[in-house]
Amino acid sequence: MARIVQDVRSFRADAAWGARDLVEIEGATARLHWTDQPYRWHVNDGAELFCVLDGEVDMRYRIGDAEHVVRLRPSDIFVADVGDAHVAHPVGEARILVFERKGSV
């Protein structure tokens, strides 16, 4: 059955990085996350697509030994491949759409 999600800007989870599962497609999930706290440095076991829907997020990532940061705003997308170390730091509250392998960190 088709679904329409119209509460993205008002969605709030019980805790930082809480999520609403939206859909599973061939072993990958799309989840709507809410947060007001940084995540933790991590490396996914598969590719990850991270799209800011509301708010702003400072995405920190490493290339070799160098750390970089980019400010993501609504409609900006960060794509991490297998092995890419990264961590998201929201600036206030943020709502993010994440596509990744089901069960990934």
Side-chain angles (χ1 to χ4, degrees):
M1 178 176 182
R3 288 183 294 150
I4 307 221
V5 179
Q6 294 183 303
D7 66 340
V8 170
R9 286 193 176 112
S10 64
F11 171 69
R12 186 174 178 120
D14 293 334
W17 293 102
R20 177 189 299 162
D21 293 328
L22 299 174
V23 67
E24 182 178 336
I25 302 169
E26 297 182 17
T29 60
R31 304 178 81 206
L32 173 61
H33 288 267
W34 170 87
T35 191
D36 62 353
Q37 299 294 315
Y39 197 58
R40 60 178 173 76
W41 279 100
H42 66 287
V43 175
N44 294 81
D45 57 359
E48 173 185 333
L49 184 145
F50 183 103
C51 179
V52 176
L53 300 176
D54 185 59
E56 296 183 346
V57 175
D58 285 342
M59 180 62 76
R60 298 170 191 211
Y61 60 100
R62 294 186 182 129
I63 298 175
D65 292 335
E67 185 176 319
H68 303 272
V69 62
V70 62
R71 170 104 6 127
L72 302 174
R73 293 178 172 83
S75 80
D76 289 343
I77 298 172
F78 176 82
V79 178
D81 205 351
V82 176
D84 291 340
H86 58 286
V87 60
H89 286 252
V91 179
E93 290 189 17
R95 285 143 185 103
I96 302 128
L97 181 62
V98 176
F99 291 91
E100 62 188 349
R101 180 182 298 178
K102 184 176 181 179
S104 189
V105 177

